[in-house]
Amino acid sequence: MGRFDGVYVALVTPFTEDHEVDYKRLTELCEWLIQEGIDGLVPSGSLGEYATMTGEERAKVINTVIAAAKGRVPVVVGSAAPSTRQAVEWVQFSKDAGAAGVMALPPINYKPLENEVFAHYEALNTVGLPIIAYNNPHDYKIDLTPDILARLSKMENIVAVKEFTGDVRRIQDILAMSDLEVMVGVDDLAMEGALVGATGWISGVPNALPKEGVELFRLAREGNLKQAQALYRRLLPLFHFDASPQLVQSIKYMMELANFPVGPTRPPRLPLTEEYYADIKKAFDYAVGAASSR
């Protein structure tokens, strides 16, 4: 068993209609996801709209999720921040609050040099909390290649990577070149990732369909390809929305369709077009039809 096995949900942050954080609803969301069988919770990531929050709000979100989990599942906190010093402070805050680990991006504001990437992670490493390095070259300027990850893995507290390139071959290379656990970082690679050795999945759509996400990942890890594929093909049109820049609006709308509304997104994220929402609803109805027919 790895340290971060299974389906970890990258939590949305519920907001009231006037865009205040709805901490009560956040607690209810954590409780529902745990009851539905998810393996871990990840607050304060991009899906959680951390960048729109004040420091006080972000700290309260982290504390709320850890309190709601009550030790039943691990909480891994997104630690992204504009400076290394601020990121270190969030890792320290998470450690003091009782988090099981952090999900840590490299420097995010520009294309860093390799020595800057290593210095950044070395600073995070000194805090003493397990780190899941987050590789997302689509949204940020650096690609944590298998070579770089192999070197990062020599740091004591870097134990896993959230792999977001969308290239399933990367998973094999990382496993061959390092002792890192690999977590799938995008929903529409969940089945393939599990089949080739990923032991975790930091997921988006399972905010709305947790039970289906847990079942899919379990089937794929067990190598039960026939059943996994039948479920995955129904979920895949919905999963593709997780790979889009509009993933936050999309997943919050899916949660409305799943009868677990969590309010709007904060600007600059605005509501999407009626056509876009219609496409999500079509994919959602298709996915849920699979669940009820199995």
Side-chain angles (χ1 to χ4, degrees):
M1 287 285 286
R3 195 180 305 226
F4 298 114
D5 271 18
V7 180
Y8 280 58
V9 175
L11 293 165
V12 299
T13 300
F15 292 123
T16 64
E17 288 308 312
D18 55 357
H19 299 103
E20 294 300 313
V21 180
D22 190 339
Y23 299 101
K24 180 175 181 290
R25 192 60 166 160
L26 179 59
T27 298
E28 292 167 352
L29 173 60
C30 295
E31 184 62 38
W32 178 58
L33 293 174
I34 291 169
Q35 293 299 326
E36 292 288 285
I38 62 93
D39 299 292
L41 300 169
V42 185
S44 183
S46 53
L47 188 53
E49 300 176 79
Y50 80 88
T52 70
M53 293 182 196
T54 65
E56 184 182 11
E57 287 174 326
R58 189 172 175 181
K60 192 170 178 182
V61 163
I62 294 165
N63 281 327
T64 298
V65 172
I66 290 171
K70 298 175 186 168
R72 293 172 291 173
V73 298
V75 176
V76 171
V77 176
S79 64
S83 72
T84 297
R85 180 178 176 178
Q86 288 169 293
V88 167
E89 287 171 354
W90 283 116
V91 177
Q92 186 65 57
F93 178 87
S94 302
K95 182 182 179 185
D96 294 343
V102 289
M103 178 179 72
L105 282 160
I108 58 176
N109 291 342
Y110 67 106
K111 186 172 184 176
L113 299 170
E114 272 193 33
N115 67 307
E116 293 172 326
V117 171
F118 286 98
H120 179 78
Y121 278 110
E122 280 169 356
L124 303 183
N125 183 65
T126 61
V127 178
L129 192 62
I131 295 168
I132 300 167
Y134 181 6
N135 184 35
N136 182 354
H138 301 294
D139 295 323
Y140 304 101
K141 307 282 188 186
I142 182 76
D143 185 1
L144 300 180
T145 62
D147 284 335
I148 292 174
L149 288 168
R151 290 168 60 198
L152 285 174
S153 71
K154 293 179 170 53
M155 296 183 198
E156 179 187 1
N157 292 305
I158 297 184
V159 298
V161 58
K162 176 183 177 183
E163 224 308 292
F164 198 88
T165 61
D167 184 349
V168 73
R169 296 168 297 182
R170 282 284 185 99
I171 294 172
Q172 299 280 24
D173 288 337
I174 295 164
L175 291 171
M177 295 169 66
S178 76
D179 58 358
L180 294 175
E181 296 173 31
V182 178
M183 304 184 80
V184 177
V186 63
D187 288 0
D188 56 5
L189 208 64
M191 185 189 78
E192 295 90 344
L195 287 170
V196 298
T199 48
W201 169 26
I202 296 181
S203 61
V205 171
N207 274 280
L209 296 175
K211 198 168 281 185
E212 290 81 359
V214 168
E215 183 180 358
L216 171 67
F217 201 67
R218 176 185 61 80
L219 289 169
R221 285 190 70 190
E222 290 172 354
N224 191 334
L225 185 57
K226 187 175 181 182
Q227 279 187 272
Q229 192 140 296
L231 176 55
Y232 187 54
R233 282 183 178 166
R234 302 295 291 233
L235 292 169
L236 193 56
L238 204 58
F239 283 177
H240 287 321
F241 289 101
D242 178 66
S244 150
Q246 286 70 48
L247 77 165
V248 187
Q249 296 99 314
S250 299
I251 289 170
K252 283 194 164 181
Y253 180 57
M254 292 174 205
M255 296 178 74
E256 198 177 306
L257 296 173
N259 296 314
F260 202 103
V262 289
T265 52
R266 265 187 179 170
R269 289 189 181 274
L270 298 175
L272 305 174
T273 64
E274 287 184 17
E275 291 81 6
Y276 203 101
Y277 285 132
D279 288 342
I280 297 170
K281 186 174 189 309
K282 182 180 177 184
F284 185 88
D285 289 345
Y286 183 66
V288 172
S292 61
S293 65
R294 286 197 317 278

